[in-house]
Amino acid sequence: MDGHRLDDASIHTVFGTSMHEAIQDWLDTLYNGSEVVAKTVDLHEGFKENFIKLFKESTEIDEDGNKLFLSDKKTLMEFYDHGCKILSYVQQNYKKIFPTKNVKLHSIEFPLEIEVQKGVQYVGYVDVITYNEKTGKYVLYDLKTSTRGWSSYQKNDPVKRGQLILYKKFFAEQVGVDLDNISVEFIILKRIISEEAPFPIPRVSKFVPPNGKPTLNNTWRMFERFITSCFDESGEYISEQNATPSKQNCRWCKYKDRKDLCPYGV
């Protein structure tokens, strides 16, 4: 609102972008190219090249001319190894994650642009959308990289779940599809699997949040409250806001340590 921006690049964000692009490129081969090629193509080398490229692009130089890397080499290679394991799992188990029978790839990074209030535009991008030609149903996928998977708290977080639920609503409106013909799934890509777990843990898992009409309506009302608290009737920012600091609210805030911008951060 005030033009303040902080660079939030980290080894995690670079890894997440690289994984998204590797899987999305591979899905294009799977659905639009050859399934045989998709099952056998080497995904590791392309992932490595892009991962290293993005890592280098995020390297900064301080006032003395020293390079400031996002991580040391050991950590970088650990992330690369985790990425290779995720990609191998996806490639070997793709039929459980991304069904292909009667299914076409509708789009990758599908743009959503909806006016949610006068002067306020919602813009988002759906990672992957597939379409089943037999049933006429769409699936909206969101790829999420995670260290060890999602906890019950994360799965029940209304903001996290709300992302895909809003995508469903806006996709239906923008494309003209009945809500009943759209489902949503989070694809959780886990970097680390506990070797001490009492049962096998998949490297990649699905999470389907409740996304029926009652949930969608509740999510939309929550989103409307957010919009009306941030924008006035003409679409201008409401600059006077009451701070609601807490350990949970401030946990992921980029500005929590910038007391010059927010003196309330916990």
Side-chain angles (χ1 to χ4, degrees), residues 11 41 83 95 134 154 158 188 214 263:
I11 187 66
V41 65
K95 290 188 177 181
K134 186 175 182 179
Q154 290 171 300
I188 314 300

Side-chain angles (χ1 to χ4, degrees), residues 107-152:
S107 53
I108 288 173
E109 293 295 327
F110 183 83
L112 296 171
E113 191 166 343
I114 298 285
E115 187 175 54
V116 293
Q117 180 181 296
K118 181 182 177 181
V120 181
Q121 204 80 0
Y122 178 95
V123 178
Y125 297 88
V126 187
D127 288 341
V128 179
I129 301 177
T130 59
Y131 175 69
N132 189 307
E133 294 181 306
K134 186 175 182 179
T135 64
K137 295 185 179 296
Y138 295 83
V139 180
L140 278 55
Y141 294 98
D142 192 72
L143 308 176
K144 293 293 189 187
T145 52
S146 172
T147 301
R148 290 182 173 83
W150 278 10
S151 65
S152 59

Side-chain angles (χ1 to χ4, degrees), residues 43-247:
L43 299 178
H44 298 175
E45 191 59 33
F47 164 66
K48 181 179 180 180
E49 290 180 5
N50 194 35
F51 185 38
I52 297 299
K53 178 176 79 70
L54 294 176
F55 181 85
K56 289 181 177 178
E57 289 176 353
S58 298
T59 300
E60 298 182 349
I61 299 177
D62 66 16
E63 297 177 353
D64 298 323
N66 300 310
K67 291 185 177 180
L68 303 176
F69 297 105
L70 296 178
S71 74
D72 56 27
K73 184 175 181 180
K74 180 176 180 292
T75 302
L76 176 67
M77 295 313 296
E78 285 177 352
F79 271 76
Y80 166 67
D81 179 63
H82 298 157
C84 289
K85 289 177 179 177
I86 291 171
L87 292 172
S88 294
Y89 185 94
V90 170
Q91 196 169 29
Q92 294 164 13
N93 298 275
Y94 70 91
K95 290 188 177 181
K96 294 189 293 185
I97 307 169
F98 300 105
T100 56
K101 187 176 181 180
N102 301 317
V103 176
K104 297 285 188 180
L105 180 64
H106 175 274
S107 53
I108 288 173
E109 293 295 327
F110 183 83
L112 296 171
E113 191 166 343
I114 298 285
E115 187 175 54
V116 293
Q117 180 181 296
K118 181 182 177 181
V120 181
Q121 204 80 0
Y122 178 95
V123 178
Y125 297 88
V126 187
D127 288 341
V128 179
I129 301 177
T130 59
Y131 175 69
N132 189 307
E133 294 181 306
K134 186 175 182 179
T135 64
K137 295 185 179 296
Y138 295 83
V139 180
L140 278 55
Y141 294 98
D142 192 72
L143 308 176
K144 293 293 189 187
T145 52
S146 172
T147 301
R148 290 182 173 83
W150 278 10
S151 65
S152 59
Y153 173 82
Q154 290 171 300
K155 290 179 179 180
N156 288 307
D157 181 351
V159 175
K160 192 177 290 289
R161 298 196 317 192
Q163 176 190 357
L164 264 185
I165 295 168
L166 289 176
Y167 280 1
K168 175 176 177 175
K169 172 180 169 62
F170 296 146
F171 179 76
E173 294 175 2
Q174 188 166 311
V175 180
V177 178
D178 193 289
L179 285 168
D180 291 336
N181 289 329
I182 305 172
S183 60
V184 297
E185 295 182 9
F186 287 103
I187 304 298
I188 314 300
L189 313 169
K190 305 166 195 167
R191 285 198 304 109
I192 299 173
I193 300 297
S194 174
E195 297 179 356
E196 300 177 358
F199 48 83
I201 299 177
R203 178 71 62 172
V204 177
S205 61
K206 290 185 177 186
F207 171 56
V208 180
N211 61 99
K213 289 183 179 178
T215 301
L216 192 148
N217 290 336
N218 288 335
T219 301
W220 175 245
R221 283 194 290 269
M222 181 180 70
F223 184 67
E224 278 189 313
R225 288 195 295 270
F226 168 75
I227 293 296
T228 56
S229 69
C230 294
F231 300 92
D232 63 23
E233 293 180 355
S234 62
E236 297 296 323
Y237 288 115
I238 300 175
S239 58
E240 295 298 323
Q241 299 285 342
N242 294 321
T244 57
S246 70
K247 287 186 177 180

Side-chain angles (χ1 to χ4, degrees), residues 1-6 237 255 261:
M1 179 165 60
D2 294 326
H4 298 296
R5 289 183 180 274
L6 295 180
Y237 288 115
Y255 303 95
L261 299 178

